[in-house]
Amino acid sequence: MENLVVLTGAGISAESGIKTFREMGGLWEEYDVMEVASPQAWEKNPELVMRFYNERRKKLLEALPNEGHRGLVELEKYFNVQIVTQNVDDLHERAGSKNILHLHGELKKARSTSDSNLIYEIDGWELKLGDTCEKGSQLRPHIVWFGETVPKISEAAIICEKADIMVVIGTSLNVYPAAGLLDYAPHGTPIYLIDPNDVGTKNNNITFIKEKAGTGVQQLFNILKEKYSFND
Ligand code: APR
């Protein structure tokens, strides 16, 4: 089975009602990213940071996976699918995808501020100041903040180096090192990019599918069915 590596961003969850970041009305229009998603913000105003992630977690509990997430699960019947997501939601998991790597953390998890190996599921939507790990240290959102290193980037690069097919869905490719993962795909690897808007990328081996994720993944499925002659 060919290795199909899928890099997803906020756009794949847009049809589930989850806001993207850089579009009109996106999260970074509403909040100053350095006030809610950086180590400096956590130092300066942890209550605001907690509130920002609690509000997003509350919305996530009401969201459901969409056709885009489900279409990727369907492709697991025909390809070795590996999801590398920039998203912190759990919609790929809830849709049924098996192999998921979260580059930027997970909204439904908390991490000890004294030992980053201590990671806990958050029960419900709220994480509070005063919630501590087993060592008594304050818990923080298990999110990679701006200015922090991306612990899983090497693992993600190795996955991309083994790609036979790359798919990019719902990311503006604005944020590195995630956006640089395309460069790890072997030379000549076919890349399919699903996005209703134009996405600037220097990579010239891209087939653009200018659709929302739900429709775009179905179109991709039909293209791959033709190219790899499998029957659904
Ligand atoms: N289907 C597919 N793509 C969509 C849809 C949709 N229904 N709606 C919007 N998009 C596209 C937009 O056109 C845009 O290209 O999704 C992309 C969202 O881009 P961003 O808002 O920049 O989100 P993303 O690329 O995931 O941001 C990367 O930046 O803020 C940090 O850590 C955060 O993981 C995030 C990273």
Side-chain angles (χ1 to χ4, degrees), residues 8-12 14-15 20-23 28 33 86-87 104 144 146 169-175 194-199 211-214:
T8 64
I12 195 169
E15 288 155 273
T20 60
F21 293 98
R22 292 173 184 80
E23 290 185 284
W28 297 152
V33 57
Q86 300 170 86
N87 298 343
H104 296 161
V144 177
F146 280 86
I169 310 175
T171 175
S172 61
L173 294 175
N174 263 304
V175 172
I194 300 170
D195 197 305
N197 301 308
D198 294 327
V199 177
E211 299 283 357
K212 292 184 175 181

Side-chain angles (χ1 to χ4, degrees), residues 18 21 27 49-61 63 86-91 93-94 102 104-111 120-127 140-145:
I18 305 280
F21 293 98
L27 270 173
V49 174
M50 280 302 204
R51 194 160 57 247
F52 174 66
Y53 288 99
N54 284 341
E55 281 166 17
R56 290 174 67 193
R57 201 172 298 113
K58 196 188 281 185
K59 288 197 180 78
L60 177 55
L61 293 181
Q86 300 170 86
N87 298 343
V88 295
D89 66 52
D90 63 341
L91 296 176
E93 286 85 349
R94 283 158 59 194
H102 283 273
H104 296 161
E106 297 180 65
L107 189 52
K108 285 188 167 178
K109 292 183 179 173
R111 176 167 94 224
Y120 307 85
E121 293 285 335
I122 296 170
D123 182 19
W125 62 273
E126 200 175 14
L127 181 65
R140 57 162 276 184
H142 181 45
I143 300 288
V144 177
W145 284 331

